[in-house]
């Protein structure tokens, strides 16, 4: 962990994005009516990397992820695994190996845990689906215990695990998590971050949006800090964690 | 009134109720998957009835040409919406599914001509002609309205209904049609004589209900349809194309309509515009089920059928009024309940 000075790059000073980036977002802007939620944001994620986007409420983090997934329209180029996906609908992006666990989880509330997970493997072959289901149930023993329970009757932490499990069922190349610790007790948050670390060890790339900056910076390789829709800081997560500006604003130190 | 008459009325009611149940299921299916209150469901019944009756009589039904018109229109809409990234492969599949299918069906019906055929073959042809109209109509009218409110979709559905009536008149003419009974013999169960036609209706209803239940409970595609209904965004996030789900729902609804038409046309003369009132009775049943419950819809449909049969005996001129009045208490109860928060979640 080098204590090098932070490259306080502005969003327009395009970083040297490796040509092999798994996800490259270039000059993304998102407007909700007259409200600019994301302003000219460029980020990228390399294969095997955990990248986090942190920022206060309303900074535009969810809007950014939703635009990358194609849920809300945004201007700007998005390249995923070498394919420009600007014109792809959500389901086509999912089929390319892009997965999002959105802020509201969007589970199939009146369906069982197993049905939710099985549908998560919609794009896989039956054999693959079966194999991945076992892996996901091993990773989340809680879900195995509750396999026949209806999603809407589960606790917040269980729902989060189900949402992550459902996203993993497609064996995504990139897993995007929108505030996985939102509304969860500290013990469960610890469990979620342990799972994120596990996933990274198994080679899944992750784009993590968090308000819990400390935990996110701990888990990530690189980080972007957003404020009022723009990226105001970026760099290695360890460096940002040590940066007084980040500490002052987001860690509540 | 003696027991024989009562039994006869109940049997009559159950037979009609079975058909209303099928229509109610189609309406619930379409509403849950696409949020469309599908007023034209009854028009599929009339189309199915007239198509089957004409096929049975050895004629070429006008719906064969109408299907080609719908297919070509859907093709044009599809190609236009994708005009900026057309590939030869995409154009080829679109032409095959939207033009090739109707033309192939047309060819088959033309080749078969007026030669006498088994009932089941004419039933299959009727489904093949009317079934694809569902997804074509979805592509032409409802898919472009994606994300619209229930009210907008409802208004579009009313417009489709009016269009289908006009097209029905243009392609079938004003004459009514009636077909011979599906099963000519009848069954004597003690004092009750059950007509073969009624038996065909019961058997078909049971078969279709079982097939639909199995589809939703056992197949991944059925679960995907269910998932699209429960949470469309969630479905898209896992890679389910919700337009495909909607097209399947429309195909099932049109098929159910066509089959209902085949079941009904031996019992009563059907005109191009007869479907609406029949569909509306399925709608009454679906309202009982809150446009969400298949089981309640089924039970309500049989009740509607029986009430209608009794009403036609005791107060025949008030028959329709009595049936449609049934929904008023349901609507009152539902609207009173909906103020205390909806149990729906999205
Ligand atoms: N659908 C919408 N319509 C109008 N404004 C919206 C909409 N969604 C988001 N916004 C606005 O866009 C801005 C960014 O919102 P966004 O949800 O992306 O922030 P966020 O960083 O995810 O916040 P949080 O940490 O609270 O989840 C906010 O000002 C928000 O009010
Ligand atoms: Mg957010």
């Amino acid at each position: 962990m080098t204590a090098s000075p932070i490259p306080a790059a502005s969003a327009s000073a395009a970083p040297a994005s490796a040509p092999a980036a798994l996800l490259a977002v270039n000059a993304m802007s998102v407007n909700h009516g007259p409200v600019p939620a994301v302003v000219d944001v460029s980020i990228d994620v390399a294969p095997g990397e955990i990248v986090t986007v942190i920022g206060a409420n309303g900074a535009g983090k969810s809007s950014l992820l939703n635009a990358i997934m194609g849920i809300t329209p945004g201007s700007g180029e998005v390249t995923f695994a070498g394919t420009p996906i600007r014109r792809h609908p959500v389901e086509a992006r999912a089929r390319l190996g892009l997965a999002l666990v959105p802020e509201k989880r969007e589970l199939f509330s009146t369906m069982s845990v197993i049905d939710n997970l099985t549908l998560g493997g919609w794009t896989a072959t039956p054999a693959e689906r079966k194999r991945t289901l076992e892996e996901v149930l091993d990773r989340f023993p809680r879900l195995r215990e509750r396999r026949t329970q209806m999603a809407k009757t589960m606790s917040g932490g269980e729902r989060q695990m189900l949402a992550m499990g459902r996203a993993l069922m497609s064996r995504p190349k990139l897993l995007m998590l929108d505030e996985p610790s939102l509304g969860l007790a500290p013990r469960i948050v610890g469990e979620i971050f342990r799972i994120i670390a596990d996933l990274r060890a198994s080679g899944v790339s992750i784009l993590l949006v968090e308000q819990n900056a400390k935990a996110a910076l701990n888990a990530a390789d690189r980080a972007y800090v957003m404020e009022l829709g723009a990226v105001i800081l970026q760099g290695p997560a360890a460096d940002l964690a040590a940066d007084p500006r980040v500490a002052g604003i987001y860690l509540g130190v | 009134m003696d027991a024989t008459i009562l039994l006869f009325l109940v049997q009559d009611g159950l037979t009609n109720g079975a058909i209303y149940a099928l229509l109610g299921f189609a309406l619930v299916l379409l509403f849950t998957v696409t949020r469309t209150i599908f007023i034209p469901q009854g028009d599929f019944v009339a189309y199915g009835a007239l198509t089957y009756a004409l096929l049975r009589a050895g004629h070429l039904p006008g719906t064969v040409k109408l299907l080609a018109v719908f297919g070509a229109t859907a093709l044009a809409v599809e190609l236009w919406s994708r005009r900026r990234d057309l590939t030869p492969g995409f154009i080829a599949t679109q032409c095959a599914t939207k033009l090739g299918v109707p033309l192939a069906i047309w060819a088959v019906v033309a080749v078969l001509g007026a030669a006498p055929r088994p009932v089941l073959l004419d039933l299959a042809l009727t489904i093949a002609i009317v079934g694809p109209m569902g997804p074509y109509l979805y592509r032409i009218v409802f898919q472009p309205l994606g994300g619209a409110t229930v009210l907008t979709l409802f208004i579009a559905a009313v417009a489709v209904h009016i269009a289908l009536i006009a097209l029905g008149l243009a392609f079938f003419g004003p004459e009514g049609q009636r077909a011979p009974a599906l099963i000519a013999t009848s069954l004597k169960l003690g004092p009750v004589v059950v007509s073969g036609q009624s038996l065909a209706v019961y058997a078909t209803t049971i078969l279709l209900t079982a097939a639909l239940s199995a589809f939703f409970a056992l197949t991944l595609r059925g679960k995907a349809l269910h998932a699209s209904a429960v949470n469309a965004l969630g479905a898209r996030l896992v890679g389910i194309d919700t337009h495909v789900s909607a097209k399947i729902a429309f195909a099932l609804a049109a098929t159910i309509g066509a089959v209902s038409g085949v079941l009904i046309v031996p019992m009563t003369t059907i005109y191009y515009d007869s479907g609406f009132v029949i569909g509306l009775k399925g709608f009454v049943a679906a309202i009982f089920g809150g446009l969400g419950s298949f089981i309640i819809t089924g039970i309500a449909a049989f009740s509607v059928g029986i009430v209608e049969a009794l009403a036609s005996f005791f107060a025949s001129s008030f028959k329709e009024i009595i049936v449609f009045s049934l929904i008023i208490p349901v609507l009152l109860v539902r609207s009173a309940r909906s103020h205390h928060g909806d149990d729906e979640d999205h």
Side-chain angles (χ1 to χ4, degrees):
Chain A
M1 307 225 173
T2 52
S4 60
I6 309 296
S10 75
S12 51
S17 112
L22 177 60
L23 174 76
V25 178
N26 192 23
M28 171 72 78
S29 293
V30 178
N31 295 306
H32 296 296
V35 185
V38 176
V39 184
D40 197 27
V41 166
S42 300
I43 68 167
D44 55 272
V45 182
E49 207 180 18
I50 297 193
V51 172
T52 185
V53 176
I54 55 177
N57 283 117
K61 310 178 298 292
S62 299
S63 301
L64 176 64
L65 285 198
N66 290 343
I68 294 173
M69 196 66 209
I71 296 171
T72 44
S75 63
E77 278 307 320
V78 183
T79 309
F80 180 68
T83 313
I85 56 172
R86 205 171 119 98
R87 302 183 52 76
H88 285 49
V90 176
E91 57 274 14
R93 296 182 199 212
R95 268 181 248 131
L96 285 176
L98 188 59
L100 170 67
V101 177
E103 208 165 10
K104 290 182 180 155
R105 313 305 174 227
E106 310 294 354
L107 293 169
F108 306 124
S109 56
T110 56
M111 300 176 88
S112 68
V113 167
I114 283 298
D115 280 352
N116 269 274
L117 291 175
T118 306
L119 285 164
W122 173 251
T123 55
T125 63
E128 226 176 40
R129 194 180 303 125
K130 219 173 144 217
R131 190 164 50 89
T132 316
L133 180 62
E134 284 310 310
E135 279 178 34
V136 168
L137 291 176
D138 286 343
R139 201 183 283 286
F140 300 95
R142 206 69 99 83
L143 297 183
R144 191 188 289 280
E145 284 164 30
R146 298 175 175 271
R147 48 196 303 153
T148 55
Q149 192 174 333
M150 228 190 239
K152 70 172 173 190
T153 63
M154 300 180 86
S155 75
E158 288 161 356
R159 289 166 60 86
Q160 176 55 24
M161 288 177 197
L162 179 55
M164 286 174 70
R166 188 182 71 177
L168 287 171
M169 281 298 297
S170 62
R171 300 194 155 270
K173 296 193 182 100
L174 177 66
L175 178 62
M176 301 195 286
L177 301 171
D178 195 346
E179 306 215 25
S181 72
L182 187 70
L184 302 184
R187 198 177 52 80
I188 311 284
V189 173
E191 207 173 324
I192 297 281
F193 275 96
R194 193 180 46 68
I195 290 165
I196 291 173
D198 267 14
L199 286 174
R200 173 238 187 70
S202 59
V204 184
S205 310
I206 295 174
L207 179 57
L208 172 67
V209 156
E210 263 298 336
Q211 277 194 58
N212 188 341
K214 194 171 178 182
L217 290 172
N218 236 327
D221 301 302
R222 282 192 305 117
Y224 297 85
V225 179
M226 280 182 80
E227 199 174 279
L228 297 174
V231 170
I232 55 160
L233 288 171
Q234 64 182 76
D239 295 354
L240 282 181
D243 188 279
R245 286 168 291 181
V246 176
I249 302 169
Y250 302 111
L251 299 182
V253 183
Chain B
M1 184 178 76
D2 62 18
T4 322
I5 295 178
L6 184 66
L7 279 174
F8 174 80
L9 289 177
V10 168
Q11 190 202 325
D12 195 37
L14 288 178
T15 309
N16 287 336
I19 290 169
Y20 301 154
L22 289 178
L23 296 176
F25 293 159
L27 289 166
V28 171
L29 175 68
L30 281 182
F31 185 73
T32 52
V33 178
T34 70
R35 301 273 130 193
T36 307
I37 297 172
F38 196 64
I39 299 302
Q41 181 63 30
D43 300 321
F44 286 144
V45 178
Y47 279 24
L50 294 171
T51 302
Y52 174 79
L54 289 168
L55 284 171
R56 216 63 209 127
H59 301 297
L60 184 81
T63 27
V64 168
K65 291 171 202 160
L66 187 55
L67 181 67
V69 172
F70 284 159
T73 313
L75 176 67
V77 171
E78 181 73 54
L79 294 182
W80 175 255
S81 77
R82 295 281 295 266
R83 64 193 174 281
R84 267 174 286 175
D85 39 13
L86 288 174
T87 60
F90 178 77
I91 296 174
T93 29
Q94 289 306 315
C95 287
T97 54
K98 299 198 164 67
L99 218 49
V101 168
L103 292 182
I105 293 168
W106 192 338
V108 169
V109 175
V111 167
L112 289 174
R117 296 183 286 264
V119 164
L120 281 180
L121 179 57
D122 278 334
L123 171 66
L125 286 174
T126 306
I127 292 173
I129 294 167
V130 179
M133 288 184 180
Y136 292 159
L137 284 174
Y138 173 76
R139 184 63 195 91
I140 298 166
V141 179
F142 297 99
Q143 187 172 332
L145 292 174
T149 61
V150 170
L151 180 62
T152 308
L153 293 170
F154 173 76
I155 293 167
V158 171
V160 169
H161 162 64
I162 293 168
L164 287 183
I165 294 277
L167 291 168
L169 179 59
F171 281 83
F172 288 116
E175 314 79 43
Q177 300 286 341
R178 192 151 178 179
L182 294 166
I183 300 173
T185 54
S186 57
L187 191 71
K188 217 164 151 26
L189 292 172
V192 194
V193 180
V194 183
S195 70
Q197 181 62 28
S198 291
L199 287 177
V201 171
Y202 301 147
T204 310
T205 304
I206 291 168
L207 213 69
L208 267 182
T209 309
L212 278 176
S213 313
F215 173 65
F216 281 106
L218 303 178
T219 70
L220 192 63
R221 177 51 88 178
K223 289 194 170 134
L225 230 68
H226 186 185
S228 308
V230 174
N231 187 330
L233 177 56
R236 300 183 69 197
L237 285 172
V238 302
I240 296 167
D241 186 338
T242 47
H243 291 311
V244 173
S245 297
K247 281 179 191 163
I248 292 172
F250 267 86
L252 288 173
T255 300
I256 291 172
V259 173
S260 307
V262 172
L263 294 176
I264 227 167
V265 74
M267 299 191 283
T268 178
T269 304
I270 298 286
Y271 299 85
Y272 69 96
D273 63 351
S274 301
F276 182 61
V277 171
I278 300 168
L280 224 44
K281 285 171 192 158
F283 190 64
V284 170
I287 293 279
F288 269 83
L291 284 171
S293 164
F294 287 96
I295 293 171
I296 300 177
T297 299
I299 295 167
F302 284 105
S303 313
V304 167
I306 290 173
V307 168
E308 183 190 30
L310 295 177
S312 65
F313 183 79
F314 291 110
S316 65
S317 46
F318 294 108
K319 184 181 94 169
E320 312 289 8
I321 296 173
I322 291 170
V323 169
F324 292 125
S325 304
L326 285 176
I327 61 169
I328 293 175
V330 181
L331 291 177
L332 285 177
V333 169
R334 286 207 170 267
S335 72
R337 274 226 225 110
S338 67
H339 292 303
H340 306 298
D342 222 331
D343 53 357
E344 255 186 294
D345 52 331
H346 280 281

